[in-house]
Amino acid sequence: MARTLGPSLGTSVTLPAGTAGGAGAPPQAVRARRPGWRDPRLWVGVAIVAACVAIGARVLGSADETVGVWAVRADAGTGAILSRDDLEVRRVHFASAGDLDGYLRADEALPDSLPLARPVGAGELLPRAAVAAEVATDTVQLPLPVDPAQIPPAVRSGSVVDVYVIGTGSGAVAGPDDPAVDPTGVTPATPALSAVTVIAAPGVDETFGSGQTQRQLTLAVPEKRAQAFFGLLGSLADPTISVVLRPAG
C-alpha cells in the first residue's frame, strides 16, 4: 500500500510500495550455474585432456624402446680376450629387430671370456661376428721388453701394433713376415710381427741388474710366428725393437 509523506503545508508525495525513506530497492543477486553435460565447452575441455594424455603416452612409449647393448670400453685387437670389466652398457634404439640381432644384448648372460676374431674400437657396440667361437689354440703370450722411447705412449692393453727389429749379424734370418736380409747383414725396416694384439702393457719398470729402464709388453701371437720371431732375435747382434701403433679399427 502506498503512503503519503509530506510537510505540514499539505504537499504530499506518493512512493511505490516496498520503498523506505526514498532509497531504491537493492538489485536481486544472480547465481552462476554449473555448465550442464550438454554445454559444448565441457566437451572441448574433455577432448583437450584426452589429447594430452595420448601424446604423453606416446612420448613415454617411444622413450622405452631403447635396448641395452654391450659396448667395448677401449680398443681391442684380434686375439684379445675380453671380460665383463672390459665392457659397458649402452642404450640404443634399433630401427628393426634384425639390426639388434647382430649385437650382444646386455640382458644376455656373458661367457667368462670373449675372444675377438677382429679388432673393435673404444665405444663400439660389440658385434656377435667379432667374437670368436673359441680361443685360438695356437696363440701364445709373447713377452717383449722394449725401450720406452721405442713405444708410443698410447700403446695399452687391446692395442694393435706392428713390431720392427733392426740389427746386424752374419747369421740373420727372415722374420715371421718374411722380410728379406740385405747383403750387409742389416735387416730392413719391415715388420717382424704385424697386426698383433697387446694383451698387457704395464708402466715402465726398472730391469733388475741392467740399470736400464724398459717397458714390458705381452703380445698375443700365433705359436709359429713367435718361434720365428725369437729365431730372428737370436740371429742378430744387438737388435733394436720398435713398436708401431696401428690406427683403431
Side-chain angles (χ1 to χ4, degrees), residues 41-88:
R41 293 174 297 176
L42 175 63
W43 294 109
V44 170
V46 171
I48 293 176
V49 172
C52 291
V53 172
I55 294 173
R58 178 172 296 181
V59 171
L60 292 177
S62 62
D64 292 338
E65 291 178 358
T66 58
V67 181
V69 180
W70 291 114
V72 183
R73 293 181 183 272
D75 295 340
T78 303
I81 300 177
L82 304 181
S83 65
R84 172 64 182 83
D85 294 337
D86 299 315
L87 306 176
E88 61 185 4

Side-chain angles (χ1 to χ4, degrees), residues 89 117 220 227:
V89 178
Q227 293 173 354

